[in-house]
Amino acid sequence: LDTLKVRVQTAKGIPSGCFRNLFAGIGGLLVTVPFIGGLNFGLYGTFQSRLMTSHPEWFTEGGLGTRPNLSCVLLSSVAGGSLVSLLTCPITNIKVQQQTIKAAVPLTISTAMKRVGFVGLFKGLGPHLIVEGLGRGVFMVGFESSKHWLGVDGPGSE
């Protein structure tokens, strides 16, 4: 579906031919999505632990230092998501280029570098910061709230 979206946005229309064309560029996603997800959760955990140990009175429930409050969850996930956007922005730009010119990844990267340069790969960083940062913050607040509501807050609570 992402390929269809890019094709319509670039006014090339819906790809004709075989069903395989719908999956152009999926290889990179299969490699990067698990890595980016792991990085997101890793950074979230790191920022959360730093906030909870540096100011437990502000960032833990009841100031006891055991469970993060929603402010801690929001700030740590926004910080992690914002850092991850520095990776996802050029990856997304390269993916869109690959889907529009239908070339291998190395050729797409060299074409993009010639056309827009290194700084050009970060075109749209502002919207990426909003989507990855604030979007991750909203997601993690909902995720942690759901865990709390369902009673699965941590180890031993299964």
Side-chain angles (χ1 to χ4, degrees), residues 122-157:
F122 291 89
K123 182 179 179 186
L125 183 60
H128 267 84
L129 283 170
I130 293 169
V131 169
E132 293 287 339
L134 293 178
R136 179 59 55 175
V138 169
F139 170 80
M140 289 308 291
V141 165
F143 177 72
E144 292 289 344
S145 298
S146 298
K147 279 179 25 182
H148 181 66
W149 183 71
L150 292 170
V152 288
D153 282 333
S157 64

Side-chain angles (χ1 to χ4, degrees), residues 81-96:
S82 296
L83 281 177
V84 166
S85 70
L86 296 173
L87 284 175
T88 58
C89 184
I91 289 171
T92 301
N93 286 335
I94 289 168
K95 179 188 70 155
V96 169

Side-chain angles (χ1 to χ4, degrees), residues 55-128:
H55 297 289
E57 67 280 4
W58 294 345
F59 296 114
T60 59
E61 284 192 357
L64 302 175
T66 56
R67 185 176 186 279
N69 62 18
L70 291 182
S71 298
C72 180
V73 171
L74 181 66
L75 286 175
S76 55
S77 56
V78 166
S82 296
L83 281 177
V84 166
S85 70
L86 296 173
L87 284 175
T88 58
C89 184
I91 289 171
T92 301
N93 286 335
I94 289 168
K95 179 188 70 155
V96 169
Q97 293 267 336
Q98 182 186 16
Q99 289 173 333
T100 54
I101 65 173
K102 289 187 176 183
V105 174
L107 180 62
T108 304
I109 293 171
S110 67
T111 303
M113 291 295 282
K114 287 176 188 171
R115 212 185 316 169
V116 295
F118 181 75
V119 175
L121 292 177
F122 291 89
K123 182 179 179 186
L125 183 60
H128 267 84

